[in-house]
């Protein structure tokens, strides 16, 4: 029996149907191959054909047993190809990467990818060369090296430009979409993916299938905090994909938990957690799926499962949770490992893990979300650090256009300030509502003239502001005349007597005391200001609007209203004079 020209790579890569005949064919090739080269290729083919055999029901054996058999096949194939030609050696190395694709092969993968990179210029077969380069791209994506990934994607695109292998020519487009998403260019990523998908309908079974579309859209919906939009689609895919049913159960549970539908999410999660999450096979989907399970456990506040999943994910904290051959990603695994460690009561471990993510990943939405996660983790033991993280996360997420997540971070900022950490805050939302947070209370009050006058003063504690500054329309109207409150005849008498004492250069204690008293009286005489009627009307108008604003705050937050009433001074000059002297942070749309 002659061996096929191509090995069945797509069995692993694109999930085509694996049936008993396919596996039986490669079993026969292994049994009948006598020459080292043919046996090497037959072993790789059998390893690939066995990849999904358990899920398909083709082989009645535990996953672990079949994984060990695949590992044995590819190890023997590598030995047989040791002195063989470059193409045979490349097939054996690629067989080890595809045939053992999953968390258990992570430690050996860098060495295999490095050897393939060295070998690739000497490989004659175009598909093998492109597959070797594909693993270099995937290796860069897995460790979050986006600059390195982009360099390798360009190299891949250049080498694949003339190929008639549609799968490869279009794969680099989806890599670009993934990188755009990782850098925070969400709309661009979605556009790239949708265009790539629309042009690959003729590639049956390719990694550009409807399932991959759903994953990409789900990540975009996650960033918009709208995962509820894809729940029906996930139910449909879950029902039609029994081979990877546990993965789609996880995806559905994640969408439900993020959408607040916790009861159904908990039911699915409990089923997946049976026997230590044994239903989630340790295949190429395991890391992404287990990361999502960790996020579900955090949302459900399931402390025992947080501990369990944290231990399962910890060895992979240095990686990103990359889907398949790199077309999508749920970001750094360390972000979730850090959050799970914090929830499990290990703050030092959480700090170290978060720090590693922030030190090794380029700025983007995942690092901003890591800051938010660290802020949550720090809230109990380092509230000042938590406030710094949440403030930075809110600003970064807002700059990326991810307003829904920015609002989550901003809410945490407000809660921390309400707890007495950092400055009080007055924030005007796009809905025209001021949100005031202070240790004395929190209030939401509709925008208005009085609120604007109030927040102007809140930002300047201790400073008295003229009403014409608060209401500029009145500035410059009328005249101001100074008058003394003491009797003019008395002031003239005081001046004459003081001049006499000064001429005499008095030395007696009684006369010196008299001179000092006269100076104080003359220097300290109060003045009233006679103002034009319009300025007086402005004073009345500003005072009333400030009092109405304080009344509105007090109606919903008596403690905060009382604080403002005690600290506010009104009149021709108005000011906020809190006993603690703290200024408010005022945040309003530009």
């Amino acid at each position: 029996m002659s061996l096929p020209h191509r090995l069945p790579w797509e069995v692993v890569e694109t999930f085509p149907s694996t049936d008993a005949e396919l596996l039986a064919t490669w079993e026969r090739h292994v049994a009948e191959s006598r020459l080292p080269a043919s046996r090497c290729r037959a072993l790789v083919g059998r390893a690939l054909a066995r990849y999904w055999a358990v899920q398909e029901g083709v082989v009645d054996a535990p996953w672990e047993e079949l994984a060990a058999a695949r590992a044995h096949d590819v190890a023997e194939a590598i030995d047989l190809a040791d002195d063989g030609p470059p193409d045979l050696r490349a097939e054996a190395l690629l067989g080890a990467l595809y045939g053992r694709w999953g968390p258990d092969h992570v430690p050996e993968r860098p060495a295999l990818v490095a050897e393939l990179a060295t070998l690739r210029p000497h490989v004659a077969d175009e598909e093998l060369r492109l597959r070797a380069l594909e693993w270099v791209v995937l290796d860069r994506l897995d460790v979050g090296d986006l600059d390195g990934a982009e360099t390798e994607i360009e190299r891949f695109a250049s080498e694949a430009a003339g190929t008639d292998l549609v799968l490869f020519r279009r794969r680099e487009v989806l890599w670009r979409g993934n990188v755009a998403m990782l850098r925070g260019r969400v709309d661009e990523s979605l556009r790239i993916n949708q265009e790539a998908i629309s042009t690959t309908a003729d590639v049956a079974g390719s990694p550009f299938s409807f399932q991959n579309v759903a994953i990409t859209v789900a990540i975009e919906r996650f960033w918009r905090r709208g995962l509820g939009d894809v729940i029906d689609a996930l139910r449909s895919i879950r029902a039609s994909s029994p081979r990877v049913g546990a993965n789609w159960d996880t995806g559905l549970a994640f969408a439900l938990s993020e959408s607040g539908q916790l009861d159904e999410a908990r039911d699915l999660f409990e089923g997946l957690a049976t026997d230590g999450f044994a239903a989630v096979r340790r295949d190429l989907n395991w890391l992404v799926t287990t990361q999502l399970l960790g996020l579900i456990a955090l949302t459900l506040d399931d402390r025992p499962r947080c501990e369990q999943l944290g231990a399962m994910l910890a060895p992979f904290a240095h990686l990103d949770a990359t889907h398949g051959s790199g077309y999508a990603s749920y970001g750094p695994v360390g972000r979730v490992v850090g959050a799970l460690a914090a929830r499990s009561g290990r703050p030092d471990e959480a700090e170290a893990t978060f720090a590693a993510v922030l030190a090794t990943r380029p700025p983007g939405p995942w690092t901003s979300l890591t800051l938010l996660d660290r802020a949550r983790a720090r809230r109990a033991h380092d509230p000042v650090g938590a406030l710094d993280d949440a403030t930075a996360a809110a600003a970064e997420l807002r700059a990326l256009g991810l307003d829904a997540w920015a609002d989550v971070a901003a809410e945490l900022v407000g809660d921390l300030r309400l707890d007495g950490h950092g400055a009080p805050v007055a924030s005007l939302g796009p809905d025209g509502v001021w949100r005031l947070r202070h240790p004395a209370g929190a209030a939401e009050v509709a925008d208005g003239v009085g609120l604007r006058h109030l927040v102007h003063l809140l930002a300047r504690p201790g400073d008295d502001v003229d009403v014409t500054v608060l209401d500029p329309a009145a500035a410059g109207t009328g005249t101001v005349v100074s008058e003394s409150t003491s009797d003019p005849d008395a002031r003239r008498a005081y001046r004459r007597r003081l001049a006499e004492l000064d001429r005499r250069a008095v030395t007696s204690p009684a006369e010196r005391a008299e001179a000092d008293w006269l100076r104080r009286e003359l220097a300290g005489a109060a003045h009233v200001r006679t103002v034009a009627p319009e300025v007086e009307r402005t004073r009345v108008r500003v005072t009333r609007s400030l009092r109405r604003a304080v009344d509105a705050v007090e109606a919903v937050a008596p403690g905060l209203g009382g604080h403002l009433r005690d600290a506010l001074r009104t009149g021709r000059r108005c000011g906020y004079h809190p006993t603690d002297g703290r200024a408010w942070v005022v945040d309003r749309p530009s």
Side-chain angles (χ1 to χ4, degrees):
M1 175 184 290
S2 61
L3 289 171
H5 173 67
R6 290 183 67 254
L7 291 166
W9 306 109
E10 287 79 8
V11 171
V12 178
E13 191 177 13
T14 63
F15 309 163
S17 178
T18 300
D19 55 28
E21 182 179 352
L22 176 67
L23 180 57
T25 297
W26 286 100
E27 292 277 15
R28 288 197 298 274
H29 285 314
V30 171
E32 297 174 5
S33 296
R34 297 291 181 265
L35 297 176
S38 59
R39 181 170 176 80
C40 172
R41 299 190 74 239
L43 288 167
V44 171
R46 183 170 70 176
L48 300 176
R50 279 175 166 172
Y51 195 88
W52 296 108
V54 171
Q55 284 94 325
E56 288 287 352
V58 172
V59 174
D60 183 15
W63 167 265
E64 294 77 13
E65 180 180 318
L66 206 60
R70 296 199 314 271
H72 182 273
D73 279 354
V74 296
E76 184 181 348
I78 288 175
D79 286 343
L80 289 169
D82 191 31
D83 296 322
D87 283 40
L88 184 66
R89 182 68 178 174
E91 283 186 329
L93 295 172
L94 287 167
L97 290 169
Y98 284 106
R100 297 200 63 203
W101 200 345
D104 299 317
H105 96 299
V106 165
E108 71 185 40
R109 189 168 64 198
L112 295 173
V113 172
E115 185 177 350
L116 272 170
T118 302
L119 187 66
R120 194 174 57 83
H122 309 289
V123 173
D125 185 271
E126 177 189 43
E127 180 179 2
L128 295 179
R129 290 198 309 273
L130 291 174
R131 289 194 180 278
L133 188 51
E134 174 188 55
W135 275 95
V136 177
V137 175
L138 183 58
D139 184 62
R140 295 297 87 208
L141 290 172
D142 280 345
V143 296
D145 177 8
L146 300 188
D147 290 341
E150 287 180 322
T151 298
E152 297 301 337
I153 290 169
E154 292 302 325
R155 186 150 63 113
F156 183 95
S158 176
E159 296 198 16
T163 186
D164 59 358
L165 298 171
V166 177
L167 193 69
F168 292 103
R169 286 190 287 108
R170 293 172 180 168
R171 173 159 300 159
E172 54 98 1
V173 178
L174 293 188
W175 283 334
R176 295 183 197 280
N178 185 22
V179 171
M181 184 78 78
L182 288 166
R183 292 200 185 278
R185 303 194 300 270
V186 179
D187 291 335
E188 176 187 339
S189 173
L190 198 61
R191 176 185 57 76
I192 290 172
N193 277 272
Q194 289 174 337
E195 289 176 357
I197 299 302
S198 68
T199 59
T200 55
D202 58 330
V203 187
S206 78
F208 318 118
S209 65
F210 71 99
Q211 294 193 21
N212 304 101
V213 178
I215 291 170
T216 301
V217 171
I219 294 173
E220 181 269 340
R221 289 286 80 203
F222 170 77
W223 283 121
R224 310 293 193 200
R225 301 211 75 211
L227 272 172
D229 298 344
V230 299
I231 286 176
D232 288 343
L234 292 174
R235 292 190 196 281
S236 176
I237 296 172
R238 175 188 173 218
S240 62
S241 305
R243 177 194 296 175
V244 287
N247 303 337
W248 289 106
D249 281 347
T250 300
L252 177 58
F254 179 61
L256 290 165
S257 67
E258 289 289 305
S259 304
Q261 301 178 54
L262 300 186
D263 289 340
E264 187 178 355
R266 185 174 286 105
D267 289 343
L268 284 167
F269 184 72
E270 287 296 329
L272 290 161
T274 303
D275 296 329
F277 299 94
V280 182
R281 306 294 191 186
R282 296 180 69 84
D283 56 29
L284 77 168
N285 297 312
W286 181 88
L287 189 56
V288 170
T289 304
T290 305
Q291 170 150 326
L292 293 183
L293 288 168
L295 292 170
I296 297 167
L298 288 164
T299 301
L300 298 177
D301 197 23
D302 188 330
R303 302 299 177 92
R305 268 57 176 275
C306 284
E307 181 78 39
Q308 182 179 9
L309 289 162
M312 293 166 64
L313 286 168
F316 311 100
H318 61 293
L319 297 177
D320 273 23
T322 304
H323 277 281
S325 57
Y327 59 85
S329 174
Y330 267 105
V333 177
R335 178 182 74 87
V336 180
V337 171
L340 292 168
R343 192 67 60 89
S344 301
R346 299 191 302 278
D348 291 343
E349 180 181 330
E351 284 284 335
T353 308
F354 286 135
V357 171
L358 294 171
T360 58
R361 296 303 188 269
W366 292 115
T367 54
S368 301
L369 205 58
T370 301
L371 284 173
L372 176 57
D373 290 331
R374 189 170 70 175
R376 290 167 168 161
R378 285 177 163 179
R379 183 172 182 177
H381 70 278
D382 180 13
V384 175
L387 180 58
D388 290 342
D389 281 346
T391 302
E396 291 177 11
L397 290 162
R398 193 82 65 195
L400 289 166
L402 305 178
D403 290 338
W405 275 112
D407 290 343
V408 173
E411 183 177 358
L412 179 55
V413 170
D415 290 342
L416 287 161
R417 285 177 172 151
L418 183 59
D419 291 341
H421 309 295
V425 64
S427 176
L428 177 60
D431 54 356
V433 173
W434 282 99
R435 290 165 178 82
L436 309 178
R437 292 184 179 272
H438 184 276
E444 295 187 2
V445 185
D447 186 25
V449 172
L451 260 297
R452 294 175 193 173
H453 293 340
L454 178 61
V455 297
H456 184 96
L457 300 176
L458 295 179
R460 298 163 178 81
D463 291 343
D464 288 328
V465 179
D466 196 280
V467 292
T468 58
V469 174
L470 294 173
D471 190 353
T477 61
T479 59
V480 179
V481 181
S482 295
E483 294 181 353
S484 173
T485 57
S486 63
D487 181 81
D489 292 337
R491 288 177 62 80
R492 284 193 291 271
Y494 290 167
R495 292 192 191 100
R496 287 195 299 270
R497 175 60 177 163
L498 181 59
E500 179 185 350
L501 292 172
D502 287 342
R503 283 196 306 272
R504 290 167 48 192
V506 297
T507 59
S508 70
E511 289 181 329
R512 283 201 302 269
E514 180 186 1
D516 290 341
W517 182 86
L518 289 169
R519 289 189 183 94
R520 286 197 300 272
E521 284 298 299
L522 289 168
H527 288 71
V528 296
R529 298 172 68 82
T530 302
V531 297
E534 178 58 31
V535 178
E536 176 61 17
R537 284 194 289 270
T538 300
R539 181 191 67 78
V540 173
R541 187 166 59 247
V542 169
T543 299
R544 287 176 177 172
S545 65
L546 281 168
R547 288 174 179 169
R548 284 195 295 268
V550 173
D551 289 343
V553 173
E554 194 166 29
V556 293
L560 178 56
H563 164 78
L564 294 174
R565 194 173 301 283
D566 292 341
L568 204 60
R569 305 287 184 268
T570 58
R572 175 61 195 270
R573 295 179 68 80
C574 302
Y576 170 62
H577 296 266
T579 56
D580 60 13
R582 290 201 297 178
W584 289 55
V585 173
V586 177
D587 178 20
R588 71 179 83 201
S590 57

